[in-house]
Amino acid sequence: MELVSEEPDTVLVVGAGPVGLTAAAELARQGARVRLVDALTGPSGEFRAITVHPRTQEHLAAMGVLDRIEAHAQEITAVEFHVRGTAEPAVRLTTGHVDSRFRRILDVPQVDTESVLREVVTGHGVAIEYGWRVDDLVPDGGGVTVTLAGPGGTEHRRYGWVVGADGAHSAVRRAVGTHLEGEFAGEHSVLADVDVDTELPPTALRLFVDPRGGGGVFPLAGRRAKIAVRVGTPDPGTSPTVEQVQRLVDEQMGGHWRLGTAHWLTYFESRHAQVPRYRHGRVLLAGDAAHIHPPAAGQGMNTGIQDAVNLAWKLALVSSGRADASLLDTYDGERHPVGAAVVAGTSRLNGLLAADGPGALLRDLGLHLLGHLPAVGDRLMATMTETAVSYRAEGERTTSHAVVGDHAPDVTDLRTATGEPTHLDVLLRRPGHLLLVVGAGETDLERLRDVLGALGTVVPVVSSSPAPSEALIDPAGDVGRRYGLGDHGFALVRPDGYLACVSRALDPRPLHEHRRIHGLDARREMV
Ligand SMILES: Cc1cc2nc3c(=O)[nH]c(=O)nc-3n(C[C@H](O)[C@H](O)[C@H](O)COP(=O)(O)OP(=O)(O)OC[C@H]3O[C@@H](n4cnc5c(N)ncnc54)[C@H](O)[C@@H]3O)c2cc1C
């Protein structure tokens, strides 16, 4: 069959779920040419994931849409573990200490998150092309030839790069000859999105430990909740009922919820698996196409969205000729271990929720200890909310300040030159890298601007006004302290909010070296 088109600068994103939508939005925002296709005839109405964790909120804030997500959300400030239906939690962990500007979890139906993301994608001028299914693809050194079945039949098109965000049954994954590796025994849960009547405040997410299965109640806005309970293998062809879920809630969750109308009820089989590699030359896998695991801590969609944010700025630079393709190896290097840890952690949590016999005794002892060791509880909360994600080099010692690979910390009293409060995520709404420079004169700034070039923006940080219009005012010197710069130095923040390069001096050579290592071309402007 003849090629219909050849677009070597274009990235084809396959799948308009939360991960493909985020990838397309971020690719476009960071200056890439994008085409986004989905096999469905229109948006999926499936309720699915609900938790939006703080790190994901930071990304959504940088994309400029967090307020729109908040409008659909129930705010959660605690995660409680209840043993065998008791009203009093064995352990209550709060979000008060997570290292984020957003110290809360947002519970939002996935349909609403996707609807906001669709607005962002189309706002960047990218059409969401439903009714286009990728059936096959063949990558080579110069591009990827894709077989697409669309409204007018099957055709071949050639793109520079492909992002496989086509979910757990990914055709892209199959086409590059890889597969999920892991445990496929399958655990079944009943999932319900229902109206609820309860005395319990809606600000806590409650996990119930029970040898009969265990599960969780995730409050939603407007007296609704998502209820998940592990069950045995359901009879083929059967669907759950509200009465069945009410019985499980009464038996395993202390009967604290009276269920009303169900908006969505389904059985869900979860597995634990991951592909060995996320990068296959010019094809990159993200989200459920790359990793699947139980929904216990609500991390599936979050991990996928964060894959997309990590990948998009790199692929935008590479596909537009502003960086070497080797930069894409860091996508696999950084995100594969995160995915592996999520698969392992959620599998452990699932096992713990339903443990019986000696395993249950150990778990109950562990929960008791957790209740008395706040630092351990905070660490667990940081892991669950994904605020512990860092791409630090192995063996990096613990420090009181952020180091290269860490998420760039927010600074509480940061102001613009006109005195308006601002935050790192607000600054990251501008595409490209951000170079925060402390203690610099105009000559230092000029030299740094020369080296950074079109890769991003140089932002001087000063302690008081009057300040140049592009400067930030940091009266308490928090940037210097939290970024480990002291009185003089600079920190290069990547477009996904992670620290790329830090120097305690104003000499631009470390910045030059960073650019050289990653083949970052500072001269080319965004397309
Ligand atoms: C029933 C259910 C309940 C869940 N509950 C939770 C939960 O409580 N918490 C949680 O964190 N996660 C949950 N998940 C997982 C969560 O929904 C996923 O992690 C998330 O949707 C992953 O997003 P994605 O974009 O990678 O994939 P998907 O959302 O699956 O999107 C993939 C898209 O690709 C499209 N596509 C597929 N094949 C092709 C093709 N060949 N060509 C073109 N397009 C294609 C599909 O139509 C789809 O729109 C649940 C999943 C299910 C199924």
Side-chain angles (χ1 to χ4, degrees):
M1 204 182 286
E2 253 179 63
L3 269 186
V4 173
S5 69
E6 197 151 359
E7 299 169 52
D9 289 346
T10 300
V11 179
L12 176 71
V13 177
V14 187
V19 177
L21 289 166
T22 305
E26 281 297 88
L27 276 159
R29 190 168 78 93
Q30 299 294 341
R33 291 185 207 284
V34 192
R35 183 177 181 202
L36 171 61
V37 294
D38 195 290
L40 296 175
T41 50
S44 153
E46 289 207 353
F47 176 84
R48 296 196 187 189
I50 53 164
T51 38
V52 178
H53 284 306
R55 180 58 50 84
T56 307
Q57 292 174 44
E58 289 163 7
H59 293 317
L60 293 166
M63 291 164 75
V65 293
L66 185 60
D67 53 342
R68 282 186 256 169
I69 298 282
E70 283 168 344
H72 298 279
Q74 170 64 48
E75 221 175 85
I76 304 287
T77 49
V79 176
E80 296 180 354
F81 289 83
H82 297 251
V83 176
R84 293 178 194 83
T86 48
E88 266 308 298
V91 178
R92 188 168 204 274
L93 307 176
T94 68
T95 53
H97 293 110
V98 297
D99 189 11
S100 173
R101 172 155 102 86
F102 307 110
R103 293 186 172 166
R104 43 117 211 242
I105 295 165
L106 296 179
D107 274 1
V108 192
Q110 185 169 325
V111 281
D112 294 324
T113 303
E114 287 183 16
S115 140
V116 171
L117 289 171
R118 279 195 299 275
E119 287 169 17
V120 190
V121 169
T122 49
H124 285 298
V126 177
I128 305 169
E129 298 182 58
Y130 288 105
W132 286 92
R133 191 186 66 233
V134 167
D135 282 341
D136 197 11
L137 51 82
V138 182
D140 58 51
V144 189
T145 306
V146 183
T147 308
L148 283 152
T154 298
E155 58 189 40
H156 293 317
R157 289 175 183 262
R158 198 165 153 77
Y159 299 97
W161 305 86
V162 172
V163 176
D166 51 343
H169 304 285
S170 171
V172 174
R173 184 178 67 217
R174 203 170 44 246
V176 292
T178 189
H179 56 272
L180 292 165
E181 290 180 354
E183 208 181 292
F184 296 96
E187 289 156 1
H188 298 269
S189 302
V190 56
L191 301 181
D193 164 23
V194 277
D195 290 339
V196 288
D197 192 12
T198 181
E199 302 279 290
L200 297 173
T203 44
L205 185 163
R206 297 177 176 86
L207 296 175
F208 286 84
V209 162
D210 195 292
R212 287 166 291 184
V217 179
F218 305 77
L220 292 160
R223 302 190 73 75
R224 261 168 80 174
K226 173 176 168 176
I227 299 178
V229 193
R230 199 157 140 194
V231 290
T233 308
D235 291 332
T238 57
S239 304
T241 62
V242 180
E243 293 70 32
Q244 176 194 3
V245 181
Q246 181 71 66
R247 204 168 49 248
L248 291 166
V249 166
D250 291 346
E251 287 168 3
Q252 298 188 30
M253 299 174 165
H256 304 297
W257 291 267
R258 287 292 100 206
L259 274 50
T261 306
H263 303 280
W264 193 63
L265 273 170
T266 191
Y267 288 117
F268 174 62
E269 186 180 2
S270 57
R271 301 175 167 97
H272 320 259
Q274 190 185 24
V275 289
R277 265 189 304 129
Y278 287 8
R279 180 173 180 209
H280 294 263
R282 289 175 168 262
V283 180
L284 295 306
L285 298 172
D288 277 19
H291 45 76
I292 52 169
H293 48 81
Q299 289 180 298
M301 185 181 71
N302 288 276
T303 308
I305 288 178
Q306 292 177 37
D307 289 345
V309 174
N310 181 296
L311 173 61
W313 69 268
K314 296 172 183 173
L315 194 46
L317 286 174
V318 172
S319 65
S320 58
R322 291 174 288 155
D324 288 350
S326 61
L327 180 62
L328 296 173
D329 289 336
T330 66
Y331 167 60
D332 181 76
E334 292 175 350
R335 294 305 299 172
H336 194 278
V338 172
V342 170
V343 171
T346 51
S347 307
R348 257 195 319 273
L349 180 60
N350 235 30
L352 283 176
L353 287 179
D356 203 358
L361 284 178
L362 270 177
R363 178 209 50 222
D364 293 350
L365 179 66
L367 283 176
H368 177 76
L369 288 174
L370 190 59
H372 290 83
L373 297 169
V376 181
D378 285 346
R379 215 159 43 241
L380 181 61
M381 187 55 115
T383 303
M384 276 168 61
T385 56
E386 307 203 350
T387 47
V389 169
S390 166
Y391 310 131
R392 275 180 182 211
E394 239 172 87
E396 185 76 59
R397 63 194 168 80
T398 309
T399 48
S400 59
H401 55 79
V403 301
V404 168
D406 286 349
H407 191 257
D410 193 44
V411 168
T412 35
D413 189 20
L414 200 59
R415 292 174 182 274
T416 64
T418 52
E420 298 296 313
T422 192
H423 294 276
L424 192 74
D425 54 81
V426 176
L427 300 168
L428 285 170
R429 285 186 198 169
R430 188 161 31 189
H433 288 69
L434 198 64
L435 189 72
L436 301 173
V437 189
V438 174
E442 199 39 50
T443 318
D444 304 311
L445 292 170
E446 263 323 302
R447 286 163 67 204
L448 289 167
R449 277 191 200 104
D450 273 355
V451 180
L452 189 66
L455 286 173
T457 313
V458 173
V459 181
V461 181
V462 300
S463 58
S464 59
S465 51
S469 62
E470 77 278 17
L472 294 173
I473 303 170
D474 173 26
D478 277 343
V479 172
R481 192 163 47 252
R482 294 217 68 189
Y483 287 72
L485 307 179
D487 295 335
H488 296 88
F490 61 79
L492 182 67
V493 181
R494 309 185 330 189
D496 60 353
Y498 286 82
L499 273 175
C501 173
V502 174
S503 171
R504 288 179 65 92
L506 294 164
D507 182 339
R509 272 177 297 186
L511 187 59
H512 204 281
E513 184 60 8
H514 175 79
R515 265 194 37 206
R516 192 190 60 75
I517 291 169
H518 293 291
L520 298 170
D521 185 346
R523 286 155 306 166
R524 267 203 64 173
E525 297 289 340
M526 287 205 298
V527 284

